[in-house]
């Protein structure tokens, strides 16, 4: 029996509306339970070849949509052949121990969110699990440090920018030492290198965090290395992991061009 043209059109429209491919990408949310993320695959990607991914955590009051609105960031990541994955906090800020936005509600736990996200995105898209880079700015950098401490085996490297742990700074981690490249402005007043008090809590001290993590991973002596216009030094662990710290002249800011430096550096040392 031949169906009426009008009915065929309706059925076709229903198919489009329910297609996962049209409901998840840079301009629409990928749903994982009550949480979301967004993803932008490299321009011209063939849809099958596995690619690495930059998993970006936004700053305070940021959104996944806001990250995707950064056209410069998207182009830089795409040009280097990586996907950009924009994560989204449970509320206006990442719920992390010590943070003003932290909640004791066990249903709001950022680490299991990242567990589900990686499982979901690698099931939906051709993402290479061995080439995942966790990065983020400000409060997003605080999220990245938390991942480095408790989910190091999930990512190839971590690049926290202008953010670190809240106090009390953890004295040890639950997963092995990793490649970490921390970037910070030398005149940052929003997240100073020594941290600042916010309501009843306080940001951690960047140098203290680096020192504790270096001891945890048995990283060796500091040596300088070239990295754009920044002053940088790194330490190597017995397992070959690198703990790097870079200072730029300026305050609390993020430039998309920095992501190219980060990815170039991580590729140069064989991390991704």
């Amino acid at each position: 029996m031949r169906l009426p043209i009008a009915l065929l059109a309706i059925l076709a429209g229903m198919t489009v509306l329910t297609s996962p491919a049209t409901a998840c990408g840079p301009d629409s949310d990928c749903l994982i339970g009550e949480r979301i993320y967004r993803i932008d695959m490299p321009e011209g990607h063939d849809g099958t070849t596995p690619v690495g991914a930059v998993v970006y955590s936004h700053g305070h009051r940021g959104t996944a949509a806001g990250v995707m609105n950064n056209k410069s960031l998207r182009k830089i990541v795409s040009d280097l052949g990586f996907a950009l994955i924009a994560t989204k906090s449970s509320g206006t800020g990442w719920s992390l121990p010590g943070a003003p936005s932290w909640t004791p509600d066990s249903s709001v736990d950022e680490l299991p969110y990242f567990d589900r996200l990686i499982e979901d995105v690698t099931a939906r898209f051709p993402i290479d699990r061995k080439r995942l880079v966790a990065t983020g700015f400000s409060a997003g950098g605080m999220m990245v440090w938390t991942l480095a401490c408790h989910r190091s085996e999930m990512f190839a490297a971590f690049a926290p920018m202008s953010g670190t742990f809240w106090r009390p700074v953890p004295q040890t981690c639950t997963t092995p030492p990793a490649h970490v490249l921390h970037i910070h402005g030398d005149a940052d007043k929003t997240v100073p290198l020594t941290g600042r008090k916010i309501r009843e809590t306080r940001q951690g001290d960047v140098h203290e965090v680096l020192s504790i993590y270096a001891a945890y991973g048995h990283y060796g002596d500091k040596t300088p290395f070239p990295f754009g216009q920044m002053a940088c030094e790194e330490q190597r662990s017995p397992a070959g992991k690198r703990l790097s710290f870079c200072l730029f002249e300026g305050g609390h800011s993020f430039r998309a061009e920095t992501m190219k430096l980060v990815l170039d550096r991580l590729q140069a040392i064989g991390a991704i």
Side-chain angles (χ1 to χ4, degrees), residues 54-74:
V54 172
V55 182
Y56 190 98
S57 296
H58 62 74
H60 183 58
R61 296 189 180 279
T63 63
V67 173
M68 287 301 173
N69 284 337
N70 189 329
K71 304 301 183 184
S72 295
L73 177 62
R74 284 174 62 176

Side-chain angles (χ1 to χ4, degrees), residues 209-229:
V209 169
L210 290 168
S211 177
I212 291 174
Y213 196 77
Y216 169 70
H218 303 289
Y219 293 86
D221 295 334
K222 299 176 182 178
T223 57
F225 68 92
F227 193 74
Q229 300 299 311

Side-chain angles (χ1 to χ4, degrees), residues 57-215:
S57 296
H58 62 74
H60 183 58
R61 296 189 180 279
T63 63
V67 173
M68 287 301 173
N69 284 337
N70 189 329
K71 304 301 183 184
S72 295
L73 177 62
R74 284 174 62 176
K75 185 177 188 309
I76 286 170
V77 173
S78 176
D79 287 350
L80 290 170
F82 285 76
L84 176 62
I85 299 171
T87 63
K88 176 63 181 79
S89 61
S90 57
T92 58
W94 296 100
S95 181
L96 302 173
S101 55
W102 180 77
T103 172
D105 184 353
S106 60
S107 67
V108 182
D109 193 330
E110 307 295 8
L111 292 174
Y113 160 70
F114 278 87
D115 295 339
R116 294 193 301 272
L117 184 154
I118 299 304
E119 288 298 325
D120 188 83
V121 75
T122 53
R124 295 198 203 200
F125 300 91
I127 300 297
D128 186 349
R129 283 178 178 256
K130 296 181 180 179
R131 300 178 65 214
L132 299 177
V133 178
T135 188
F137 173 70
S138 192
M142 298 171 180
M143 184 68 247
V144 173
W145 263 110
T146 302
L147 290 170
C149 196
H150 301 295
R151 291 295 187 273
S152 68
E153 295 169 310
M154 185 182 291
F155 297 89
F158 302 83
M161 294 179 277
S162 304
T164 188
F165 293 108
W166 292 90
R167 289 192 179 279
V169 174
Q171 300 299 302
T172 188
C173 295
T174 58
T175 51
H179 290 294
V180 178
L181 170 56
H182 182 102
I183 300 172
H184 219 104
D186 61 3
D188 194 327
K189 294 182 179 180
T190 302
V191 185
L193 289 167
T194 55
R196 70 183 176 98
K197 182 176 174 58
I198 298 179
R199 298 205 295 269
E200 72 284 355
T201 187
R202 185 180 180 86
Q203 300 162 347
D205 182 297
V206 171
H207 293 290
E208 178 188 7
V209 169
L210 290 168
S211 177
I212 291 174
Y213 196 77

